[in-house]
Amino acid sequence: MSKKKVWVSRPLFPDVLAHLADHVEVAAETVEGTRSADQMRAKLADVDGAIVGLSERVDAGVLAGNTRLKVVANLGVGFNNFDLPAMTAAGVLATNTPDVLNESVADYAWALMLAAARRVSAAERWLRAGHWTSTMRFDDWLGVDLHGKTLGILGMGRIGQAIARRACGFDMHVLYHNRSRLPDPVERECRAQWVEKHELLRRVDHLVLVLPFTAANRHAIGAPELALMKPSAVLVNVARGGIVDDAALARALRDKTLAAAALDVFEGEPAVHPDLLALDNAVLSPHIASASEDTRRAMARLAADNVLAALGLGKLAGQPPTPLNPEVMSRWSGAASVDNKA
Ligand code: GLV
C-alpha cells in the first residue's frame, strides 16, 4: 500500500517532520506564506492529512469536492480559522493544541502586563535612542504597580486559571468573568471571584483577555467597555485580534482614559492599527504568547500525533489525542475506518 500523504503548511521543527516522515510522505513548505482559498484547495486536494497555522482558513469552499482529506491539525489552541461545521459535514477531523501551551501563554500574559504597567518597552526605546544623557527627574517614568492591586480575567478557561494562579505571588486580588462560574474548588485554588462583566471592567486595575474568538465576542471590548475602566487601568490581550476594537483602544490610550495596553494579537494581523503603532503606552508583540522553545515543540508534536493517529498510524493509531469534532470518526468505516474515508 502506498504511503499516505501529509501537507505541512509552514516550516516546522526537523525532528517533528522526521517523525511524520517515518509513517507518511511529507510535503512540507519551507517558507512561511499566506495562502488564498484557491491555493489552500489545491494544497489539500491530493493529501490525506494536513498541519496548518492560524492564518490558514479551512472552510466549505476549500474542502469542496475533496474526498481524500481526513484530518487537518491546527497549530494552535484557538481554531477560529476552522469552519468546524463545514469540516464535520465534509467528514474531515479537526484537531487543535490545547493544554500544552497553557503555562507559557500565562507566563507571557504576565510579561506583557508587567511591561505595560511599568513602561518597559517605552523606557528601553527612549534609552536606546540616546535620550538618557543626564540625571533623570525623580518623578519620570512612573508606572502602575501590580502588587496589591486587582487583577481581572475575562475568559477563565485553563489559560485564565494559569494566569490567576500566578497572581498569588504578586499578592493581587483576582476577579474573573466567564459565561459559567468555575466549580468552588477551582475558584479557591485560583483565589478568584466571579463577577458580572461590567463590574469586572469597573473594578480592575489590570485586565487580561483570554476568551475564544467567536462572532459573539467580536469587539467584546469596545468604546463602551473601555469607558467603564479606570483611567489608571492596564489592558492585556493574549486571546485573539477582533475581541478588542483596536481603533477604540487606540483612542482611549491616546486620550489617557486608559493608562496602558499590551497586545499580542490584532484585528487583521499581521497588519497593526497605525494609531496603536504611534502610541508609547501600547506594548505590541507579533502573536508570540505560546512561543517558547519547549511549548512550540510540544504543539508541533501534538499536531503531528493528531494527524498520524487520525490516519491510523503511529502508537496512537485511531485515537487522536485532541479532536475537535470526534463524531466524524464514527462515520469513517470501522477499523478500516482509519484507512478509508466513507
Ligand atoms: C494561539 O493564538 C493559539 O491559539 O494557540
Side-chain angles (χ1 to χ4, degrees):
M1 201 172 64
S2 68
K3 268 189 166 178
K4 296 207 157 91
K5 191 169 170 188
V6 171
W7 176 55
V8 183
S9 75
R10 55 197 314 196
L12 216 56
F13 302 100
D15 53 312
V16 177
L17 291 177
H19 172 56
L20 277 171
D22 285 342
H23 302 276
V24 294
E25 182 189 338
V26 180
E29 301 293 335
T30 51
V31 288
E32 294 286 349
T34 320
R35 280 168 199 88
S36 66
D38 282 346
Q39 289 168 325
M40 285 294 287
R41 192 178 309 111
K43 291 285 184 187
L44 295 175
D46 67 343
V47 294
D48 303 282
I51 296 179
V52 303
L54 302 175
S55 60
E56 278 143 345
R57 182 146 179 86
V58 182
D59 58 17
V62 160
L63 297 175
N66 191 327
T67 52
R68 177 168 170 186
L69 185 70
K70 284 180 67 174
V71 54
V72 182
N74 209 28
L75 285 165
V77 62
F79 52 92
N80 51 301
N81 53 321
F82 283 178
D83 180 339
L84 205 55
M87 293 176 78
T88 304
V92 174
L93 184 74
T95 70
N96 67 341
T97 59
D99 293 330
V100 291
L101 45 60
N102 296 349
E103 303 300 326
S104 293
V105 174
D107 286 350
Y108 195 73
W110 277 89
L112 287 184
M113 205 181 343
L114 285 158
R118 298 301 307 273
R119 307 176 63 188
V120 176
S121 305
E124 185 179 358
R125 275 195 297 278
W126 181 84
L127 180 151
R128 284 180 187 272
H131 295 309
W132 194 17
T133 51
S134 60
T135 311
M136 274 196 312
R137 283 173 56 109
F138 193 60
D139 60 356
D140 256 355
W141 290 107
L142 303 182
V144 181
D145 277 328
L146 279 84
H147 67 273
K149 302 278 183 178
T150 299
L151 169 65
I153 301 176
L154 188 56
M156 195 65 156
R158 286 163 293 201
I159 297 173
Q161 291 165 37
I163 293 169
R165 284 198 305 273
R166 284 159 173 74
C168 190
F170 284 82
D171 196 20
M172 291 178 91
H173 180 52
V174 183
L175 303 177
Y176 75 96
H177 180 77
N178 211 34
R179 262 176 319 173
S180 46
R181 259 189 81 158
L182 298 175
D184 284 347
V186 183
E187 276 194 354
R188 270 198 299 280
E189 194 217 337
C190 295
R191 300 184 192 211
Q193 181 195 346
W194 186 93
V195 290
E196 291 288 354
K197 181 178 168 188
H198 283 185
E199 184 180 346
L200 183 83
L201 295 171
R202 272 194 286 268
R203 285 179 58 187
V204 297
D205 300 299
H206 302 270
L207 177 65
V208 184
L209 309 178
V210 213
L211 56 177
F213 185 72
T214 60
N217 285 343
R218 183 169 181 277
H219 289 185
I221 301 294
E225 289 76 18
L226 291 166
L228 294 175
M229 295 179 70
K230 298 177 187 175
S232 55
V234 173
L235 174 73
V236 176
N237 187 6
V238 287
R240 273 291 180 276
I243 290 174
V244 175
D245 177 344
D246 286 349
L249 174 62
R251 280 196 299 277
L253 292 170
R254 186 200 57 208
D255 299 346
K256 303 275 167 31
T257 57
L258 190 74
L263 310 171
D264 187 47
V265 287
F266 304 89
E267 285 187 284
E269 61 190 47
V272 175
H273 197 293
D275 293 353
L276 288 172
L277 290 170
L279 290 164
D280 241 6
N281 53 349
V283 174
L284 311 173
S285 67
H287 203 148
I288 55 169
S290 65
S292 75
E293 171 86 29
D294 290 347
T295 292
R296 283 283 164 97
R297 280 184 176 281
M299 292 166 71
R301 274 196 302 267
L302 180 54
D305 284 347
N306 272 308
V307 167
L308 292 177
L311 297 179
L313 303 165
K315 56 182 188 317
L316 298 172
Q319 290 174 320
T322 52
L324 290 164
N325 54 351
E327 65 275 20
V328 303
M329 293 170 65
S330 60
R331 306 210 313 261
W332 300 344
S333 48
S337 75
V338 281
D339 276 333
N340 243 342
K341 186 164 130 184

